[in-house]
Amino acid sequence: MFVARWIIDAKFGHKDEVLALCKKWQGEIGDRVGMTRTRRVATGSIGAEEGRLEMETQFDSLAALEKSWIDMSKMPAHHKFSKELEPHIVSGTNRWEILRLVEV
């Protein structure tokens, strides 16, 4: 099992716009490409940038994650989302972190 975490930093004063766009993205794109399991959104609070936004989704395999990325890249709505989001985020802060879940 894997957790895919997408991390971006909103520009100062733009966090509400970023959250609204990400909520719209989830309904129009995320749900259609399989990003539905254990979805969690967190924002910076203490010890993290206030504008930090992290969206997490679980996948059974790396192949399932890769399929969702491929499907997403083919969607005109995702390209539109990227253009709408860009003015609201700090350039160069967007990244994916992939974590493997382990039993302890």
Side-chain angles (χ1 to χ4, degrees):
M1 181 80 59
F2 294 88
V3 171
R5 181 183 297 150
W6 186 53
I7 302 168
I8 55 175
D9 289 341
K11 290 180 179 177
F12 182 78
H14 291 246
K15 187 164 61 173
D16 289 342
E17 289 91 342
V18 171
L19 284 167
L21 285 167
C22 288
K23 183 177 180 178
K24 180 180 172 187
W25 177 90
Q26 185 62 54
E28 294 179 2
I29 299 156
D31 290 342
R32 292 177 56 200
V33 298
M35 293 194 176
T36 57
R37 290 186 47 201
T38 315
R39 204 172 40 221
R40 182 168 62 177
V41 178
T43 62
S45 184
I46 299 170
E49 290 84 356
E50 194 268 332
R52 171 72 40 90
L53 176 80
E54 298 186 3
M55 296 176 65
E56 289 185 359
T57 306
Q58 287 186 3
F59 289 90
D60 291 330
S61 66
L62 291 175
L65 171 59
E66 186 174 20
K67 181 182 180 322
S68 73
W69 283 341
I70 291 167
D71 293 346
M72 189 181 354
S73 72
K74 296 175 184 176
M75 298 179 74
H78 181 67
H79 295 283
K80 181 181 177 202
F81 162 77
S82 298
K83 298 229 182 267
E84 291 174 350
L85 182 66
E86 190 277 328
H88 302 289
I89 63 171
V90 178
S91 182
T93 61
N94 58 313
R95 71 179 189 278
W96 284 92
E97 291 182 353
I98 311 304
L99 300 109
R100 181 185 307 268
L101 296 177
V102 296
E103 296 288 327
V104 291

